[in-house]
Amino acid sequence: MSSRLEHLNHWVAEVAHHTRPAAIHWCDGSDTENRMLIDQMLADGTLHLLNQDTHPGSTLHRSHPDDVARVEHLTYVCTTHHEDAGPNNHWMAPDEAHAEIDALFDGCMQGRTMYVIPYCMGPIDSPLSRCGVEITDSPYVVANMRIMTRMGAAALARIERDGTFVKGLHSIGELDPNRRCIMHFPEELTIKSYGSGYGGNALLGKKCHALRIASHQARSEGWLAEHMLILGIENPQGQTHYIAAAFPSACGKTNLAMLIPPEGYLRDGWKIWTIGDDICWMRPGPDGRLYAINPEAGFFGVAPGTSNKSNPNALASIQSNTIFTNVGVTADHQPWWEGIDNGQVPVTDWQGQPYDASMRPAAHPNSRFTVSAKQCPSYSAMSEDPHGVPISAIVFGGRRASLVPLVFEARDWTHGVLVGAAMGSETTAAATGAVGVMRRDPMAMKPFCGYNFADYFAHWLSFDTEGAKLPKVFHVNWFRKGDDGKFLWPGFGDNLRVLEWMLRRVEGHGGAVETPIGHLPIAHDINLEGVPLSDEAHAKLFGIDREAWQAEFASIGDYLAEYGPRLPQALLEEQRKIAAELA
Ligand code: GTP
Ligand code: SPV
Ligand code: MN
């Protein structure tokens, strides 16, 4: 190997010396390699074969029952100065963190194969892309990384060209929750993760690299690494606008990214193009607009609730070559989850036990599918464009049963940054801990920002420069509930009605009323043809309760105060101005 890879070779040798694997395998990403790994995992029970007539090439993995979600309380950002990680992160001093986790890695790969996975986040030839190498003792991680990233020989060639990469070391260890932690060293471009084999804890290219490390890097290099989907909306005239949207985990990104237009819109010729469903890297282009790429190559999507009605594109994508994790199975070995709504019944639950509805759901609420983005019928060829796509609108949104209307528009960039910073959402099964608890989740980045949120908000504000052509900023809430506890808005495909209004606003001809919290559509500004809404639904989706919003702004003020003097003054002033208008 060339001298430009010496650094990589040296690190691999050092890790092998420390973890003592029985063998070292450099992943080339080939079909042969993938087949070899899948066969080996089928033989040792890591994977189970699903029905090859209905789901060719698809398998099922059952996680350890204590290892089924991200673990935010065991996730650390280890910067030299505590202040740089901020109140939004768990922090440990780098020396102490290395010592603690290195002790866990000591000899941990004995009897196992150590896999070296070179990967590229983003199109191989894009200047916006960044590479990494994950070392892991989990073949399941290798198989997932092969779908989720551009992995193998082409990535290694780019690493050789770049001469730099993010180092990620991972071991499933004993899968013991008491011997588990995920450490990030953004100043060293290094990740160390021990004791979990699940999703964001183990597929290090995803949340660890593409968000926590990348957000830190993006700040110093003048770009943004965000927890956002990217979609293209093609109007009947054939023009396509791109939108990036940040919703917290399990709050609708995959679904919105693959939306199928409702009947009337389909007839008129509207089309949706999927670029990405979870992560977005964007930077200003020469024309002052923000250009975005999806750093991922696949979807690690929530299974429950995915049906031919809610998300036909996702369902079509996962008919073959898919790894299912923690779903139930039917008598003839087809995958099954709550809400699949296909007339079949599960016989085995996600733990491999006979299904008993009184014991547990058939599929874990955070069960997932891993599939190549290329299998999605709405996947856009623009996803491979090295320049990325220009973003016309940024959308923030959360899961809010009360208070927050269906949609509103920020007055300007500074207000938009406040709208993102003030985001709140009810927690979901994507992370361990209580579900349904309202918490602040700025820009849907609470679990993923690799530095102090105060600095992050300042970084967002800094894009508002002379000559910048920034996207308009909106806020949505698909999850408002009525007094009966049911969702008031049909959601899913009908969300296009809201996106269409946004595009009219972007083009300068959509109607709205000004309120202290932003511009709201009056109901007739949004096309509601064929959407029967009760008077209660109407009032709640398109109105604001001033008194309740006063309380919300007081709470937002309290939240921002937690960031102390480091918080940008402009954000505080914006919050105070709106609080005063509401009073
Ligand atoms: P992560 O992969 O964890 O980041 O999640 P995500 O943001 O991609 O969420 P996803 O699209 O997988 O949706 C999560 C859950 O929300 C699923 O159970 C969906 O059925 C549900 N959901 C998505 N969109 C809507 C909507 O418009 N309305 C309602 N009521 N539910 C929705
Ligand atoms: C999320 O939790 O936001 C996910 C799943 O997209 S994970 O890869 O586990 O982070
Ligand atoms: Mn996510």
Side-chain angles (χ1 to χ4, degrees):
M1 278 186 194
S2 80
S3 62
R4 300 216 68 180
L5 289 178
E6 240 170 65
H7 174 57
L8 171 58
N9 291 326
H10 181 79
W11 175 57
V12 170
E14 197 180 72
V15 169
H17 181 75
H18 182 196
T19 60
R20 302 189 180 284
I24 300 177
H25 177 106
W26 286 72
C27 299
D28 61 14
S30 65
D31 290 341
T32 318
E33 175 183 81
N34 188 49
R35 234 171 289 130
M36 185 269 291
L37 289 176
I38 302 264
D39 285 346
Q40 176 197 316
M41 287 189 278
L42 288 170
D44 71 14
T46 304
L47 290 180
H48 304 271
L49 206 58
L50 290 168
N51 187 322
Q52 295 301 294
D53 294 326
T54 57
H55 293 77
S58 297
T59 54
L60 165 68
H61 173 70
R62 294 193 182 106
S63 304
H64 188 286
D66 291 329
D67 184 33
V68 292
R70 285 183 293 100
V71 281
E72 295 178 5
H73 59 296
L74 303 173
T75 300
Y76 292 83
V77 168
C78 310
T79 45
T80 308
H81 303 289
H82 189 170
E83 269 288 290
D84 292 340
N88 45 305
N89 280 302
H90 297 296
W91 175 86
M92 210 184 280
D95 286 354
E96 192 190 331
H98 279 301
E100 186 167 307
I101 200 161
D102 286 351
L104 296 173
F105 276 109
D106 206 357
C108 73
M109 294 190 191
Q110 285 174 65
R112 297 179 187 168
T113 297
M114 179 176 112
Y115 300 92
V116 182
I117 314 172
Y119 64 86
C120 180
M121 300 310 291
I124 289 279
D125 54 351
S126 170
L128 293 145
S129 300
R130 292 286 187 280
C131 289
V133 176
E134 174 167 0
I135 297 180
T136 179
D137 55 8
S138 162
Y140 166 79
V141 165
V142 178
N144 277 273
M145 284 290 284
R146 180 170 183 272
I147 297 173
M148 295 305 295
T149 71
R150 279 95 173 161
M151 180 268 255
L156 188 63
R158 170 147 180 175
I159 289 170
E160 191 169 2
R161 273 203 313 278
D162 290 353
T164 159
F165 62 95
V166 169
K167 285 191 235 165
L169 173 55
H170 169 254
S171 171
I172 55 172
E174 304 80 18
L175 293 179
D176 174 356
N178 296 313
R179 286 167 60 81
R180 178 176 295 162
C181 55
I182 297 117
M183 309 280 201
H184 302 76
F185 305 90
E187 294 152 355
E188 304 165 38
L189 300 184
T190 295
I191 305 153
K192 293 182 179 178
S193 167
Y194 189 89
S196 167
Y198 194 84
N201 301 331
L203 313 177
L204 301 187
K206 198 173 178 53
K207 297 310 188 351
C208 300
H209 177 167
L211 288 179
R212 297 193 193 95
I213 299 287
S215 62
H216 192 275
Q217 227 174 358
R219 182 191 172 208
S220 57
E221 296 174 4
W223 50 286
L224 289 164
E226 299 299 325
H227 191 203
M228 292 177 175
L229 67 94
I230 310 165
L231 63 73
I233 306 172
E234 186 180 328
N235 67 18
Q237 292 75 47
Q239 295 149 334
T240 305
H241 274 289
Y242 295 92
I243 289 185
F247 310 150
S249 303
C251 290
K253 289 183 300 302
T254 301
N255 278 272
L256 191 68
M258 298 179 190
L259 175 157
I260 301 238
E263 202 35 58
Y265 283 80
L266 271 181
R267 210 183 318 113
D268 292 346
W270 290 83
K271 285 195 196 106
I272 294 292
W273 298 104
T274 308
I275 306 276
D277 82 326
D278 199 51
I279 301 180
C280 163
W281 286 357
M282 51 192 167
R283 80 155 72 216
D287 59 358
R289 301 186 71 185
L290 287 180
Y291 282 78
I293 61 163
N294 169 15
E296 300 191 284
F299 308 126
F300 184 61
V302 176
T306 307
S307 72
N308 215 5
K309 189 160 172 283
S310 66
N311 193 346
N313 277 325
L315 210 64
S317 309
I318 58 182
Q319 292 311 300
S320 63
N321 308 315
T322 302
I323 302 173
F324 293 90
T325 299
N326 299 334
V327 300
V329 286
T330 63
D332 65 345
H333 305 286
Q334 296 191 49
W336 194 94
W337 48 83
E338 278 67 20
I340 190 170
D341 224 11
N342 62 358
Q344 300 179 6
V345 289
V347 298
T348 307
D349 70 21
W350 63 274
Q351 296 195 17
Q353 300 298 314
Y355 172 61
D356 175 352
S358 70
M359 285 287 291
R360 63 179 81 94
H364 187 276
N366 192 36
S367 56
R368 302 251 169 187
F369 51 77
T370 318
V371 70
S372 166
K374 292 201 169 118
Q375 291 195 190
C376 182
S378 57
Y379 190 57
S380 165
M382 288 298 286
S383 308
E384 306 296 332
D385 191 314
H387 303 105
V389 294
I391 298 297
S392 300
I394 286 177
V395 183
F396 295 118
R399 212 177 254 275
R400 296 294 294 265
S402 59
L403 183 74
V404 183
L406 182 63
V407 59
F408 61 92
E409 178 194 325
R411 275 180 293 277
D412 54 28
W413 187 253
T414 303
H415 181 213
V417 174
L418 177 70
V419 167
M423 254 171 77
S425 196
E426 289 142 24
T427 52
T428 65
T432 54
V435 167
V437 181
M438 194 339 253
R439 70 163 177 182
R440 295 281 158 211
D441 191 350
M443 279 86 167
M445 284 288 278
K446 166 72 187 73
F448 308 119
C449 184
Y451 62 104
N452 192 322
F453 260 155
D455 302 336
Y456 173 76
F457 302 146
H459 183 49
W460 264 83
L461 290 170
S462 77
F463 284 84
D464 194 2
T465 54
E466 187 86 29
K469 294 198 183 68
L470 293 167
K472 272 189 180 291
V473 178
F474 298 87
H475 189 284
V476 299
N477 178 22
W478 313 140
F479 300 95
R480 186 78 183 261
K481 288 181 177 169
D483 295 334
D484 59 0
K486 291 198 177 128
F487 292 122
L488 292 173
W489 177 247
F492 302 100
D494 286 308
N495 293 335
L496 180 57
R497 300 171 187 280
V498 176
L499 302 184
E500 190 219 338
W501 174 74
M502 291 177 187
L503 294 190
R504 274 189 276 123
R505 294 293 297 169
V506 165
E507 288 171 352
H509 50 83
V513 279
E514 280 181 44
T515 81
I517 70 160
H519 303 306
L520 264 75
I522 317 178
H524 67 250
D525 290 324
I526 289 193
N527 171 11
L528 293 174
E529 216 179 293
V531 184
L533 291 179
S534 67
D535 290 345
E536 183 207 359
H538 232 276
K540 287 187 166 150
L541 292 170
F542 298 101
I544 65 164
D545 173 344
R546 272 184 105 97
E547 233 165 80
W549 272 101
Q550 282 173 25
E552 175 76 354
F553 263 79
S555 143
I556 293 167
D558 291 346
Y559 175 70
L560 294 179
E562 290 173 26
Y563 293 89
R566 223 157 145 143
L567 193 78
Q569 196 56 33
L571 209 59
L572 270 184
E573 277 165 19
E574 191 72 22
Q575 183 272 338
R576 286 187 191 136
K577 195 177 79 192
I578 297 170
E581 281 172 39
L582 282 163

